[in-house]
Amino acid sequence: MSEILPKTTMVLVCGGKGGVGKSTVAANVAAVLAGRGVRTGLLDADLHGPSLPVMFGLDERPAVRNGLIQPPTRHGISLMSTGLLAPPAQALAWKGPLLRGALKQMLRDVDWQDPDVLVIDTPPGTGDVHMALASLVDIRSAVVVTTPQDVALTDTRRCVSMLDQLGVPVQGVVENMAYFRCPDCDARHQLFPRPEGRDQLPRHELPMIAAIAASGDGGTPIALTDEGRSTGVTAVFEAVVEDLTTADAIRRAV
């Protein structure tokens, strides 16, 4: 058992391709968990491209008290990100040991107050950050995010293979931008071709709607909004959380 947050269930959100919506999924899964009364933390482990501060409307540097960083709280979620520690335009040219050291600090030196669940948003690919996280904490489950294109699904399978090697079960797969629903005729249109083998991965489908991007830019996860509920997007994230509750530790938390 890890010495870092040993009582906390770690949920990894990952995907093989950049720009598929991992941060959006991480933010909304955390929001649904917190809405159920689960003590929830959210760690932005995409150190080179942190986006969660924008998605939660955060721009102030966190305070330090008794040697521990105090994570800001939004919508009942404690959040930590390198985006809160450096100017937005500053590049963090870290790799290898520096990446591992930064992740360890954000896990160990932050006053998380023993959350039930820590959702961890990771960078695209299968690189140093994932290996470092696996060596620092016990990861109980993962949510994999993809889009319908074959090029994204190929990298998604690599991500699933990495998780299998790490012994991390995939509890949910989210296919973002899966379809577009016409606002005039309510017809469902698939904007991307359906590649062979797509249905081998169980999945939840998110539609392509402007409100998802707008809510992220506006600082409120769409799962918490009226538009999220009316479009069925909130229900998708609730279904992902239902997948996660099949893990014993999370089921006890909710």
Side-chain angles (χ1 to χ4, degrees), residues 30-207:
V32 171
L33 283 166
R36 294 187 178 193
V38 179
R39 291 181 300 167
T40 305
L42 180 57
L43 173 61
D44 191 347
D46 191 348
L47 306 184
H48 295 131
S51 54
L52 288 177
V54 173
M55 292 185 170
F56 283 85
L58 293 166
D59 56 11
E60 69 269 18
R61 291 179 65 89
V64 177
R65 189 179 304 125
N66 298 323
L68 292 176
I69 300 171
Q70 304 298 308
T73 300
R74 289 290 188 276
H75 310 296
I77 303 163
S78 298
L79 185 145
M80 190 60 211
S81 169
T82 55
L84 300 173
L85 303 176
Q90 180 177 330
L92 300 177
W94 297 343
K95 60 181 181 179
L98 284 176
L99 284 175
R100 189 179 190 280
L103 289 169
K104 187 174 183 179
Q105 183 177 15
M106 290 200 296
L107 287 163
R108 183 193 60 191
D109 298 339
V110 171
D111 189 13
W112 292 108
Q113 298 187 1
D114 291 323
D116 297 316
V117 180
L118 182 64
V119 179
I120 305 176
D121 180 27
T122 64
T126 56
D128 289 347
V129 167
H130 304 85
M131 300 299 108
L133 286 168
S135 70
L136 290 168
V137 294
D138 298 322
I139 304 170
R140 298 288 184 87
S141 56
V143 176
V144 176
V145 186
T146 186
T147 52
Q149 306 98 312
D150 198 16
V151 65
L153 285 167
T154 298
D155 288 337
T156 298
R157 295 186 185 100
R158 294 191 182 101
C159 180
V160 171
S161 176
M162 173 199 69
L163 293 168
D164 184 57
Q165 292 175 35
L166 294 175
V168 178
V170 176
Q171 300 293 137
V173 176
V174 177
E175 187 175 275
N176 195 16
M177 297 180 278
Y179 63 92
F180 170 76
R181 192 173 296 280
C182 175
D184 296 323
C185 65
D186 201 38
R188 174 170 164 154
H189 301 276
Q190 295 175 343
L191 301 182
F192 300 104
R194 293 306 191 197
E196 183 179 352
R198 169 183 175 272
D199 292 327
Q200 293 176 6
L201 293 174
R203 68 199 182 281
H204 301 284
E205 295 183 336
L206 279 174

